[in-house]
Amino acid sequence: MVRDTLYASSQESRDVRARAGLASLVRWESAVVLVLLLVVVGAGLGVDGFADARNARFLMLDAVAVLLIALPVTLVVITGEIDLSVASTLGLCSAVMGQLWLSGWPLELIVVAAVALGALLGAVNGLFVTGFGLPSLAVTIGTLAAYRGLAFVVLGDQAVADFPTDWTSAAVETVAGGALPWAMVITLLLAVGFGVTLHLTPFGRQLYAIGNNAEAAAFAGVPVARARFWLFVACGAVSGLAGVYWTLRYASARADNGEGLELAVVAAVLLGGVSIFGGRGTLLGVLAGVLLLATLRNALQLADVRADTLDIVTGSLLIASVVIPNAVALARARLRRRAT
Protein backbone atom coordinates (compact mmCIF):
# COMPACT_ATOMS: atom_id res chain seq x y z
CA MET A 1 0.00 0.00 0.00
CA VAL A 2 2.83 2.39 0.84
CA ARG A 3 4.47 1.46 -2.48
CA ASP A 4 1.25 2.26 -4.35
CA THR A 5 0.96 5.59 -2.56
CA LEU A 6 4.55 6.49 -3.39
CA TYR A 7 4.04 5.44 -7.03
CA ALA A 8 0.88 7.56 -7.30
CA SER A 9 2.69 10.52 -5.74
CA SER A 10 5.61 10.11 -8.14
CA GLN A 11 3.26 9.82 -11.13
CA GLU A 12 1.37 12.94 -10.02
CA SER A 13 4.67 14.83 -9.67
CA ARG A 14 5.64 13.84 -13.21
CA ASP A 15 2.25 14.98 -14.48
CA VAL A 16 2.69 18.33 -12.76
CA ARG A 17 6.14 18.79 -14.31
CA ALA A 18 4.81 17.80 -17.73
CA ARG A 19 1.97 20.33 -17.53
CA ALA A 20 4.35 23.01 -16.32
CA GLY A 21 6.71 22.22 -19.19
CA LEU A 22 3.83 22.40 -21.65
CA ALA A 23 2.82 25.77 -20.25
CA SER A 24 6.36 27.08 -20.64
CA LEU A 25 6.41 25.95 -24.28
CA VAL A 26 3.19 27.79 -25.08
CA ARG A 27 4.96 31.10 -25.64
CA TRP A 28 3.83 33.62 -28.20
CA GLU A 29 7.41 34.46 -29.18
CA SER A 30 8.12 30.79 -29.95
CA ALA A 31 5.01 30.62 -32.11
CA VAL A 32 6.05 33.74 -34.04
CA VAL A 33 9.52 32.31 -34.70
CA LEU A 34 7.96 29.05 -35.88
CA VAL A 35 5.55 30.86 -38.21
CA LEU A 36 8.46 32.96 -39.53
CA LEU A 37 10.41 29.81 -40.39
CA LEU A 38 7.36 28.27 -42.08
CA VAL A 39 6.74 31.42 -44.12
CA VAL A 40 10.40 31.60 -45.20
CA VAL A 41 10.40 27.94 -46.26
CA GLY A 42 7.01 28.21 -47.97
CA ALA A 43 7.91 31.41 -49.82
CA GLY A 44 11.28 29.98 -50.82
CA LEU A 45 9.59 26.95 -52.37
CA GLY A 46 6.51 28.61 -53.82
CA VAL A 47 7.42 32.18 -54.81
CA ASP A 48 9.78 32.79 -57.73
CA GLY A 49 12.78 34.92 -56.82
CA PHE A 50 12.20 34.89 -53.07
CA ALA A 51 15.26 32.76 -52.30
CA ASP A 52 17.61 34.93 -54.38
CA ALA A 53 20.38 36.72 -52.50
CA ARG A 54 19.37 39.99 -54.18
CA ASN A 55 15.82 39.69 -52.85
CA ALA A 56 17.07 38.81 -49.37
CA ARG A 57 19.15 42.00 -49.44
CA PHE A 58 16.15 44.14 -50.38
CA LEU A 59 13.98 42.40 -47.77
CA MET A 60 16.44 43.29 -45.01
CA LEU A 61 16.87 46.84 -46.28
CA ASP A 62 13.09 47.24 -46.11
CA ALA A 63 13.02 45.84 -42.57
CA VAL A 64 15.73 48.15 -41.19
CA ALA A 65 13.57 51.26 -40.69
CA VAL A 66 10.72 49.30 -39.08
CA LEU A 67 13.09 47.42 -36.78
CA LEU A 68 14.95 50.60 -35.80
CA ILE A 69 11.78 52.38 -34.72
CA ALA A 70 10.30 49.25 -33.16
CA LEU A 71 13.15 49.07 -30.61
CA PRO A 72 12.21 52.15 -28.54
CA VAL A 73 8.50 51.73 -29.30
CA THR A 74 8.70 48.30 -27.64
CA LEU A 75 9.93 49.87 -24.42
CA VAL A 76 7.24 52.56 -24.60
CA VAL A 77 4.45 49.99 -25.06
CA ILE A 78 5.82 47.82 -22.23
CA THR A 79 5.27 50.80 -19.90
CA GLY A 80 1.63 50.98 -21.01
CA GLU A 81 2.04 53.93 -23.40
CA ILE A 82 2.25 54.24 -27.20
CA ASP A 83 3.84 56.54 -29.78
CA LEU A 84 2.03 56.84 -33.10
CA SER A 85 3.99 59.89 -34.28
CA VAL A 86 7.16 57.98 -35.16
CA ALA A 87 6.56 57.89 -38.93
CA SER A 88 5.72 61.60 -39.01
CA THR A 89 8.89 62.29 -37.01
CA LEU A 90 10.80 60.33 -39.65
CA GLY A 91 9.17 62.39 -42.40
CA LEU A 92 9.85 65.74 -40.72
CA CYS A 93 13.50 64.86 -40.07
CA SER A 94 13.84 63.78 -43.71
CA ALA A 95 12.31 67.05 -44.90
CA VAL A 96 14.67 69.05 -42.67
CA MET A 97 17.60 67.05 -44.05
CA GLY A 98 16.59 68.07 -47.56
CA GLN A 99 16.14 71.72 -46.65
CA LEU A 100 19.47 71.90 -44.81
CA TRP A 101 21.22 70.25 -47.75
CA LEU A 102 19.73 72.87 -50.07
CA SER A 103 21.03 75.51 -47.64
CA GLY A 104 24.58 74.23 -48.02
CA TRP A 105 25.07 72.43 -44.70
CA PRO A 106 27.63 69.58 -44.62
CA LEU A 107 25.95 66.17 -44.51
CA GLU A 108 27.78 65.13 -41.31
CA LEU A 109 26.20 68.05 -39.47
CA ILE A 110 22.83 67.43 -41.11
CA VAL A 111 22.75 63.86 -39.76
CA VAL A 112 23.44 65.08 -36.22
CA ALA A 113 20.79 67.80 -36.60
CA ALA A 114 18.18 65.28 -37.83
CA VAL A 115 18.72 62.97 -34.85
CA ALA A 116 18.68 65.92 -32.45
CA LEU A 117 15.45 67.18 -34.03
CA GLY A 118 13.91 63.74 -33.59
CA ALA A 119 14.89 63.76 -29.91
CA LEU A 120 13.30 67.21 -29.52
CA LEU A 121 10.06 66.03 -31.15
CA GLY A 122 10.03 63.02 -28.84
CA ALA A 123 10.58 65.33 -25.86
CA VAL A 124 7.49 67.30 -26.90
CA ASN A 125 5.47 64.08 -26.79
CA GLY A 126 7.00 63.15 -23.44
CA LEU A 127 6.26 66.58 -21.98
CA PHE A 128 2.58 66.39 -22.90
CA VAL A 129 2.25 62.82 -21.59
CA THR A 130 4.29 63.04 -18.38
CA GLY A 131 4.18 66.76 -17.66
CA PHE A 132 0.53 67.44 -18.37
CA GLY A 133 -0.80 63.93 -17.73
CA LEU A 134 -2.41 63.55 -21.17
CA PRO A 135 -3.00 60.10 -22.70
CA SER A 136 -0.20 59.14 -25.07
CA LEU A 137 -2.66 57.82 -27.68
CA ALA A 138 -4.35 61.21 -28.04
CA VAL A 139 -1.08 63.16 -27.85
CA THR A 140 0.75 61.14 -30.50
CA ILE A 141 -2.24 61.07 -32.84
CA GLY A 142 -2.17 64.86 -32.65
CA THR A 143 1.58 65.11 -33.20
CA LEU A 144 1.33 62.53 -35.99
CA ALA A 145 -0.70 65.07 -37.95
CA ALA A 146 1.24 68.11 -36.72
CA TYR A 147 4.70 66.77 -37.51
CA ARG A 148 3.62 65.60 -40.97
CA GLY A 149 2.11 69.01 -41.64
CA LEU A 150 5.34 70.70 -40.54
CA ALA A 151 7.28 68.46 -42.93
CA PHE A 152 5.25 69.86 -45.84
CA VAL A 153 5.76 73.39 -44.51
CA VAL A 154 9.54 72.83 -44.47
CA LEU A 155 9.96 71.19 -47.88
CA GLY A 156 6.61 71.41 -49.62
CA ASP A 157 5.95 68.75 -52.24
CA GLN A 158 9.44 68.86 -53.74
CA ALA A 159 12.04 66.12 -53.47
CA VAL A 160 15.74 66.68 -52.77
CA ALA A 161 17.67 63.92 -54.50
CA ASP A 162 21.21 65.18 -55.11
CA PHE A 163 22.86 63.70 -52.01
CA PRO A 164 26.47 62.47 -52.39
CA THR A 165 26.63 59.00 -53.93
CA ASP A 166 29.16 57.78 -51.38
CA TRP A 167 26.58 58.40 -48.63
CA THR A 168 23.64 56.88 -50.51
CA SER A 169 25.75 53.87 -51.53
CA ALA A 170 26.88 53.34 -47.94
CA ALA A 171 23.23 53.14 -46.83
CA VAL A 172 22.69 50.03 -48.98
CA GLU A 173 26.18 48.53 -48.87
CA THR A 174 26.43 44.87 -47.88
CA VAL A 175 28.97 42.91 -45.84
CA ALA A 176 31.68 41.50 -48.14
CA GLY A 177 29.42 42.04 -51.14
CA GLY A 178 26.92 39.45 -49.89
CA ALA A 179 23.24 39.69 -49.00
CA LEU A 180 23.56 41.13 -45.46
CA PRO A 181 23.46 44.95 -45.46
CA TRP A 182 25.65 46.86 -43.05
CA ALA A 183 22.55 48.85 -42.07
CA MET A 184 20.98 45.64 -40.75
CA VAL A 185 24.17 44.74 -38.86
CA ILE A 186 24.17 48.14 -37.14
CA THR A 187 20.45 47.83 -36.37
CA LEU A 188 20.96 44.38 -34.84
CA LEU A 189 23.76 45.77 -32.66
CA LEU A 190 21.36 48.46 -31.48
CA ALA A 191 18.78 45.73 -30.84
CA VAL A 192 21.29 43.93 -28.62
CA GLY A 193 21.82 47.15 -26.66
CA PHE A 194 18.08 47.68 -26.21
CA GLY A 195 17.65 44.01 -25.31
CA VAL A 196 20.33 44.14 -22.63
CA THR A 197 18.81 47.34 -21.24
CA LEU A 198 15.33 45.85 -21.14
CA HIS A 199 16.08 42.35 -19.88
CA LEU A 200 19.29 42.60 -17.87
CA THR A 201 19.24 45.94 -16.06
CA PRO A 202 17.29 47.39 -13.13
CA PHE A 203 15.93 50.06 -15.51
CA GLY A 204 14.39 47.36 -17.68
CA ARG A 205 12.76 45.74 -14.67
CA GLN A 206 11.36 49.13 -13.73
CA LEU A 207 9.74 49.41 -17.16
CA TYR A 208 7.91 46.10 -16.66
CA ALA A 209 6.84 47.24 -13.19
CA ILE A 210 5.47 50.49 -14.64
CA GLY A 211 3.54 48.59 -17.28
CA ASN A 212 2.04 46.18 -14.76
CA ASN A 213 1.01 48.84 -12.25
CA ALA A 214 2.35 52.38 -12.60
CA GLU A 215 0.89 53.53 -9.29
CA ALA A 216 2.42 50.65 -7.34
CA ALA A 217 5.74 51.22 -9.12
CA ALA A 218 5.68 54.89 -8.11
CA PHE A 219 5.02 53.93 -4.47
CA ALA A 220 7.99 51.55 -4.70
CA GLY A 221 10.24 54.44 -5.67
CA VAL A 222 10.33 53.96 -9.45
CA PRO A 223 10.58 57.33 -11.29
CA VAL A 224 7.61 56.61 -13.55
CA ALA A 225 7.27 60.01 -15.23
CA ARG A 226 11.00 60.41 -15.82
CA ALA A 227 11.35 56.93 -17.32
CA ARG A 228 8.44 57.47 -19.69
CA PHE A 229 9.71 60.92 -20.70
CA TRP A 230 13.12 59.61 -21.72
CA LEU A 231 11.55 56.72 -23.59
CA PHE A 232 9.63 59.21 -25.74
CA VAL A 233 12.88 61.10 -26.30
CA ALA A 234 14.53 57.84 -27.39
CA CYS A 235 11.60 57.15 -29.73
CA GLY A 236 12.05 60.53 -31.35
CA ALA A 237 15.85 60.24 -31.66
CA VAL A 238 15.70 56.77 -33.21
CA SER A 239 12.91 57.90 -35.55
CA GLY A 240 15.19 60.76 -36.61
CA LEU A 241 17.94 58.22 -37.27
CA ALA A 242 15.47 56.15 -39.28
CA GLY A 243 14.68 59.32 -41.24
CA VAL A 244 18.39 59.68 -42.09
CA TYR A 245 18.52 56.04 -43.21
CA TRP A 246 15.30 56.34 -45.24
CA THR A 247 16.53 59.50 -46.99
CA LEU A 248 19.92 58.05 -47.90
CA ARG A 249 18.59 54.61 -48.80
CA TYR A 250 16.13 56.05 -51.34
CA ALA A 251 18.40 59.04 -52.13
CA SER A 252 15.43 61.34 -51.69
CA ALA A 253 14.29 63.72 -48.97
CA ARG A 254 10.52 64.15 -49.11
CA ALA A 255 7.89 65.36 -46.68
CA ASP A 256 5.86 62.16 -47.17
CA ASN A 257 8.75 59.77 -46.48
CA GLY A 258 7.70 56.94 -44.18
CA GLU A 259 4.00 57.77 -44.46
CA GLY A 260 1.96 54.98 -42.86
CA LEU A 261 5.04 53.32 -41.36
CA GLU A 262 3.62 53.63 -37.83
CA LEU A 263 1.08 50.92 -38.69
CA ALA A 264 3.85 48.48 -39.62
CA VAL A 265 5.83 49.36 -36.48
CA VAL A 266 2.90 48.88 -34.09
CA ALA A 267 1.83 45.70 -35.90
CA ALA A 268 5.35 44.26 -35.64
CA VAL A 269 5.65 45.15 -31.93
CA LEU A 270 2.32 43.61 -31.02
CA LEU A 271 2.89 40.66 -33.34
CA GLY A 272 6.13 40.05 -31.45
CA GLY A 273 4.21 39.45 -28.23
CA VAL A 274 4.33 42.84 -26.52
CA SER A 275 1.08 43.42 -24.64
CA ILE A 276 -0.83 46.53 -25.70
CA PHE A 277 -1.75 46.89 -22.01
CA GLY A 278 1.90 46.98 -20.94
CA GLY A 279 4.01 44.84 -18.64
CA ARG A 280 4.81 42.02 -21.05
CA GLY A 281 7.01 41.46 -24.08
CA THR A 282 10.54 40.70 -25.28
CA LEU A 283 12.90 42.23 -27.85
CA LEU A 284 13.48 38.80 -29.39
CA GLY A 285 9.77 38.46 -30.06
CA VAL A 286 9.68 41.92 -31.64
CA LEU A 287 12.63 41.07 -33.90
CA ALA A 288 10.77 37.95 -35.04
CA GLY A 289 7.60 40.01 -35.55
CA VAL A 290 9.42 42.58 -37.72
CA LEU A 291 11.03 39.88 -39.85
CA LEU A 292 7.74 37.98 -40.19
CA LEU A 293 5.88 41.07 -41.33
CA ALA A 294 8.66 42.05 -43.75
CA THR A 295 8.87 38.52 -45.14
CA LEU A 296 5.12 38.28 -45.71
CA ARG A 297 4.98 41.63 -47.49
CA ASN A 298 8.01 40.77 -49.61
CA ALA A 299 6.61 37.38 -50.63
CA LEU A 300 3.21 38.86 -51.47
CA GLN A 301 4.82 41.63 -53.54
CA LEU A 302 6.81 39.06 -55.50
CA ALA A 303 3.56 37.16 -56.04
CA ASP A 304 2.06 40.34 -57.62
CA VAL A 305 -0.44 40.90 -54.81
CA ARG A 306 -2.02 44.36 -54.94
CA ALA A 307 -0.82 47.06 -52.53
CA ASP A 308 -4.23 47.45 -50.86
CA THR A 309 -4.22 43.71 -50.13
CA LEU A 310 -0.86 44.15 -48.38
CA ASP A 311 -2.46 46.78 -46.13
CA ILE A 312 -5.30 44.35 -45.37
CA VAL A 313 -2.75 41.70 -44.39
CA THR A 314 -0.94 44.16 -42.11
CA GLY A 315 -4.19 45.27 -40.48
CA SER A 316 -5.32 41.68 -40.00
CA LEU A 317 -2.02 40.78 -38.36
CA LEU A 318 -2.39 43.80 -36.09
CA ILE A 319 -5.81 42.60 -34.92
CA ALA A 320 -4.58 39.02 -34.55
CA SER A 321 -1.58 40.15 -32.52
CA VAL A 322 -3.93 41.71 -29.97
CA VAL A 323 -6.59 38.99 -29.87
CA ILE A 324 -4.51 35.80 -30.04
CA PRO A 325 -1.97 36.59 -27.26
CA ASN A 326 -4.82 37.25 -24.85
CA ALA A 327 -6.36 33.91 -25.77
CA VAL A 328 -2.95 32.24 -25.33
CA ALA A 329 -2.51 33.95 -21.95
CA LEU A 330 -5.85 32.58 -20.79
CA ALA A 331 -4.85 29.08 -21.94
CA ARG A 332 -1.50 29.36 -20.15
CA ALA A 333 -3.23 30.53 -16.98
CA ARG A 334 -5.51 27.51 -17.07
CA LEU A 335 -2.54 25.17 -17.62
CA ARG A 336 -0.74 26.82 -14.70
CA ARG A 337 -3.73 26.34 -12.43
CA ARG A 338 -3.99 22.70 -13.44
CA ALA A 339 -0.22 22.28 -12.84
CA THR A 340 -0.53 23.57 -9.30
Side-chain angles (χ1 to χ4, degrees), residues 302-320:
L302 289 176
D304 293 325
V305 174
R306 292 169 49 184
D308 52 356
T309 304
L310 296 178
D311 292 335
I312 293 173
V313 170
T314 302
S316 300
L317 287 174
L318 180 57
I319 295 172

Side-chain angles (χ1 to χ4, degrees), residues 52-289:
D52 294 345
R54 182 171 180 270
N55 181 65
R57 171 173 167 257
F58 280 110
L59 188 157
M60 285 185 280
L61 287 172
D62 288 341
V64 165
V66 177
L67 180 55
L68 261 179
I69 300 174
L71 296 176
V73 169
T74 297
L75 274 60
V76 169
V77 175
I78 282 175
T79 65
E81 303 290 350
I82 196 165
D83 189 348
L84 297 178
S85 69
V86 287
S88 296
T89 299
L90 182 157
L92 178 52
C93 292
S94 177
V96 169
M97 279 187 69
Q99 190 59 55
L100 293 178
W101 178 250
L102 291 176
S103 301
W105 283 42
L107 203 50
E108 294 85 355
L109 190 56
I110 290 175
V111 170
V112 174
V115 176
L117 174 61
L120 177 61
L121 299 176
V124 171
N125 288 337
L127 177 63
F128 278 113
V129 173
T130 63
F132 300 117
L134 301 177
S136 58
L137 179 62
V139 167
T140 56
I141 286 176
T143 53
L144 177 153
Y147 294 165
R148 185 66 68 179
L150 284 172
F152 280 98
V153 170
V154 169
L155 200 59
D157 57 359
Q158 66 175 318
V160 179
D162 60 340
F163 295 102
T165 54
D166 54 340
W167 283 76
T168 56
S169 299
V172 296
E173 187 179 355
T174 58
V175 178
L180 179 63
W182 277 108
M184 177 58 79
V185 173
I186 295 170
T187 303
L188 291 176
L189 291 176
L190 284 174
V192 171
F194 273 89
V196 169
T197 300
L198 178 62
H199 299 297
L200 299 177
T201 66
F203 179 71
R205 291 191 289 273
Q206 288 176 358
L207 299 185
Y208 284 106
I210 293 170
N212 281 306
N213 192 322
E215 187 175 354
F219 276 117
V222 175
V224 175
R226 186 172 64 188
R228 283 175 168 167
F229 174 81
W230 286 110
L231 288 182
F232 279 107
V233 173
C235 260
V238 174
S239 297
L241 181 61
V244 172
Y245 166 75
W246 192 287
T247 302
L248 296 177
R249 190 239 162 144
Y250 294 105
S252 178
R254 295 176 54 92
D256 61 352
N257 275 353
E259 198 165 37
L261 194 69
E262 65 278 344
L263 176 62
V265 171
V266 173
V269 169
L270 299 184
L271 187 62
V274 179
S275 172
I276 190 63
F277 305 109
R280 190 177 75 241
T282 66
L283 255 300
L284 179 61
V286 171
L287 174 61

